[in-house]
Amino acid sequence: MYELTMLQAAIKDGTAHRQCAFEVFARRLPNERRYGVVAGTARVLRAIKDFHFTPAQLETLDFLDEDTIDYLRDYRFSGQVDGYREGEIFFPNSPLLTVRGTFGECVILETVILSILNSDSAVASAASRMVTAADGRTIIEMGSRRAHEYAAVTAARAAYLAGFNATSNLEASHRYGIPASGTAAHAWTLLHIDEEGKPDEEAAFRAQIADAGVDTTLLVDTFDITKGVETAIKVAGPRLGAVRIDSGDLGAVTRRVRKQLDDLGAHNTRIIVSSDLDEFAIAGLRGDPVDGYGVGTSVVTGSGAPTAGMVYKVVEVDAHPVAKRSSSKKSIGGAKRAVRTHRSTGVALEEIVYPFNSAQPEIPAHLGVRELTRPFMRDGQLVEDIPTLEESREHLETVRRTLPWEGLALSRGEVAIPTRLVGF
Amino acid sequence: MYELTMLQAAIKDGTAHRQCAFEVFARRLPNERRYGVVAGTARVLRAIKDFHFTPAQLETLDFLDEDTIDYLRDYRFSGQVDGYREGEIFFPNSPLLTVRGTFGECVILETVILSILNSDSAVASAASRMVTAADGRTIIEMGSRRAHEYAAVTAARAAYLAGFNATSNLEASHRYGIPASGTAAHAWTLLHIDEEGKPDEEAAFRAQIADAGVDTTLLVDTFDITKGVETAIKVAGPRLGAVRIDSGDLGAVTRRVRKQLDDLGAHNTRIIVSSDLDEFAIAGLRGDPVDGYGVGTSVVTGSGAPTAGMVYKVVEVDAHPVAKRSSSKKSIGGAKRAVRTHRSTGVALEEIVYPFNSAQPEIPAHLGVRELTRPFMRDGQLVEDIPTLEESREHLETVRRTLPWEGLALSRGEVAIPTRLVGF
């Protein structure tokens, strides 16, 4: 609502057409994490391009005067957008997105831009830590039921961007081309009772194998895990694809199950674990015979940080830098861009933020330098080469490898590399 | 995905038509809270009623056989749904929703039911604590930018259900009839610079008053709060509606601002505060001259518990109770219903859960008793009297008053009243 009341007041007092720059940034990283992951950029750019008001929506805005309604009826964003690409790593005060245009056309985009970036980046930032913790083993997103019905779809996308291998969410799989994964819940086993109403795990396993083949994953912990594994191999034979364990002390249980499988000759049957896993639990299982992780709640809720805490602030009005001076929420005026420097080994050294229209600061010749700020929109039109989800996923994987080793630590601590402001 | 692979395997092995009961419940409350709030029920019931697969969706399901596709093409839920009404208070193991029908028609509803209930109940459960902490003062939801763009809309609904007075989200206001609220951000003040590019707070306030009248809320902390308040009253006069403060030590600042306003004769100008408020910060300001709270991040993210942790489990197959015995995730077989007993003073005493088809357990005559389980759907059709959002909001307000006083405490502790299982 305040976007529109501000717009109306600005139309009235003649300031709506002042040229402004708004900036998206995060004041800090949640829970003293070492880095964040930009996600949602492609969705944001599409949302900006499509942003408009339908006649039906305009009719509901009965607190606005006719001039403002007319403005909104014709609204199409016609400005410039620059920023960090999707899949880029970021730090506090990184200028993640810079939106330039008139006050009126920029101010009404705050909520849509931040909603998308904050939710997608929260998931990707958590997911990236889990991918590191999984250390190359398969990791599957299966948290749809713990997120809003639409947020579940974009959470699956953000997790995949961060390096997850698959999702249980079919809408996400279809919409974004993510591999889908899913076999059975405990309900499947419990459905199978004999004529006296007694549990019949074997019947459940037989039916699943008959439908999905021996390469499927059998959920073996509905009753007794040892009995479940025994039944699974009895029914499927030693070529069973995988067993899933969703409860108990996963370290101890997987070691026991691995031995049992090996003793039964099922050396290639994989062990998949789930059950409230987060990055710490995943890392804790690194020494155990786990072949894959199913992760639900923690990834879709950002593992303790369900929003990325990004803000959208005006930083320039008619080419003058502006900034509020509120205590503890100071900001730095002026539109910005950034580069990241690297040692000759490729390891990232620091992020340098400088005025948007200035020349790049001088970087010592022995250092590598990469521009982080890219053009996304010009005069309201998308610049052509917006990266695909796969490209962004590969980009993140590459960039993650450039962080100093302590930057990938899961523990609380300093950010991976410092950010230096030059020219403010 | 697993909903559909289970469906296909069940169609193949002839178990898809077994009569089942699935139950939604929470094993525990997050962060040792005293109670939870059921929210999203009206949205769930609509989603179940509307649940179907379009031809375009069916085409994407290329991992399913023809029988399963045929089943989905004709799918309409035709079973029974009973449960706790929206706005009801709940505890661990409360049977929140019981869905009865064939395995096939029930199993594919898991994700949509849980997504809605988990996200809406997470917000409402946190919001309810904030409403209690606000102790009758105005409390406004303004967290859209910290939630997924669609989740923001339903979060506003859940917060209103829990007793919030208004939302900044216009889509939620329009869709659900919630009062809308919103005036100006710091961008509004920063937009106003003079010809030399210097900040001109007075011009910003003048323009806002000219547009919105003196009853508006001026944001006074962009630069210096004391100067901001002085300018606000200079421009608006002592009949200014409110000032908003979004930074600093809110207790100390509001006391100083109240004195300043009073000294300026603005005795009726209200003080609204915002800035990362949660239920604890709200409670901490109870002794200070705060007239209203604007709450963002913490309410839309469930204040530390972004999902309600509800699960959807099969509890009955062909009239036989079924339950898994996985370690630490045991469940109790059999469909259930519940009543809550009250002392003659009206204070809630305990929740009694008993078999769905049994008679109500005997309750001593001096106790009041209220049925918690209500019929929602019969043969796939909505039972007529689904409460409106306003009715559910009033219901919660009433029920909250029946909790023992320690049940409303914000601190970690025991649940407000115990739950007793009878007949299992």
Side-chain angles (χ1 to χ4, degrees), chain B residues 206 209 213-216 218 228-243 257-271 291:
Chain B
R206 274 197 201 289
I209 297 287
V214 295
D215 199 39
T216 191
L218 294 176
V229 171
E230 191 186 307
T231 306
I233 300 301
K234 176 182 158 193
V235 170
R239 304 169 76 118
L240 175 64
V243 294
V257 167
R258 181 74 268 160
K259 181 165 188 317
Q260 188 186 0
L261 287 169
D262 287 343
D263 289 348
L264 293 166
H267 300 287
N268 294 320
T269 300
R270 286 165 298 126
I271 299 177
D291 300 289

Side-chain angles (χ1 to χ4, degrees), chain B residues 82 88 120 362 364 383 385 412 415:
Chain B
D82 299 75
E88 189 55 77
D120 290 18
E362 272 191 45
V383 169
D385 61 340
R412 289 167 183 258
V415 292

Side-chain angles (χ1 to χ4, degrees), chain A residues 1-2 4-6 8-10 12-13 15-16 18 20 22 28 43 56-57 60-61 63 65 103 107 110-112 114-116 118-120 144-152 154 167-171 174 180-188 190-197 199 203 207-208 210-211 221-224 244 246-249 275-276 297 301 306-307 309-311 313-314 317-318 320-329, chain B residues 1-2 4-6 8-10 12-13 15-16 18 20 22 28 43 56-57 60-61 63 65 103 107 110-112 114-116 118-120 144-152 154 167-171 174 180-188 190-197 199 203 207-208 210-211 221-224 244 246-249 275-276 297 301 306-307 309-311 313-314 317-318 320-329:
Chain A
M1 183 167 190
Y2 79 12
L4 299 188
T5 53
M6 284 191 278
Q8 173 166 290
K12 267 197 193 163
D13 86 338
T15 52
R18 290 190 176 174
C20 291
F22 282 74
R28 69 191 82 82
R43 298 210 305 120
Q57 286 172 325
T60 69
L61 303 175
F63 57 94
D65 63 23
F103 178 78
V107 77
E110 174 177 356
T111 304
V112 68
L114 288 180
S115 287
I116 294 173
N118 273 326
S119 55
D120 290 18
S144 290
R145 81 200 81 164
R146 301 298 174 89
H148 181 278
E149 68 271 29
Y150 289 110
T154 54
T167 178
S168 66
N169 189 299
L170 289 175
E171 176 64 25
H174 174 59
S181 172
T183 51
H186 293 104
W188 172 251
L190 293 172
L191 169 66
H192 289 83
I193 51 174
D194 64 19
E195 282 164 21
E196 290 168 6
Q208 187 177 332
D211 178 51
D221 72 340
T222 306
F223 307 113
D224 176 84
R244 177 160 77 96
D246 185 49
S247 55
D249 173 352
S275 186
D276 288 337
T297 308
T301 61
T307 180
M310 295 173 186
V311 294
K313 298 293 172 190
V314 64
V317 176
D318 282 345
H320 295 284
V322 297
K324 64 177 173 176
R325 298 194 297 261
S326 311
S327 103
S328 82
K329 285 188 178 176
Chain B
M1 184 167 189
Y2 79 12
L4 300 187
T5 54
M6 284 190 279
Q8 173 166 290
K12 267 197 194 162
D13 87 338
T15 52
R18 290 191 176 174
C20 291
F22 281 75
R28 69 191 83 82
R43 298 208 307 119
Q57 287 172 325
T60 70
L61 303 175
F63 57 93
D65 63 25
F103 178 78
V107 77
E110 173 177 358
T111 304
V112 68
L114 289 180
S115 288
I116 294 173
N118 273 326
S119 55
D120 290 18
S144 290
R145 81 199 81 162
R146 302 298 174 89
H148 180 277
E149 68 271 29
Y150 288 110
T154 54
T167 178
S168 65
N169 189 298
L170 290 175
E171 176 64 24
H174 174 59
S181 172
T183 51
H186 293 103
W188 173 250
L190 293 171
L191 169 66
H192 289 82
I193 51 174
D194 64 19
E195 283 164 18
E196 291 167 5
Q208 187 177 330
D211 177 52
D221 73 340
T222 306
F223 307 113
D224 176 83
R244 177 158 78 97
D246 184 49
S247 55
D249 173 353
S275 187
D276 288 335
T297 308
T301 61
T307 179
M310 295 172 187
V311 294
K313 297 293 172 190
V314 64
V317 177
D318 283 345
H320 294 284
V322 296
K324 66 176 172 175
R325 298 194 296 262
S326 311
S327 102
S328 83
K329 285 189 177 176

Side-chain angles (χ1 to χ4, degrees), chain B residues 54-67:
Chain B
T54 64
Q57 287 172 325
L58 291 174
E59 268 185 35
T60 70
L61 303 175
D62 51 15
F63 57 93
L64 296 178
D65 63 25
E66 214 166 310
D67 284 351

Side-chain angles (χ1 to χ4, degrees), chain B residues 293-313:
Chain B
Y293 303 92
V295 183
T297 308
S298 68
V299 66
V300 301
T301 61
S303 197
T307 179
M310 295 172 187
V311 294
Y312 179 77
K313 297 293 172 190

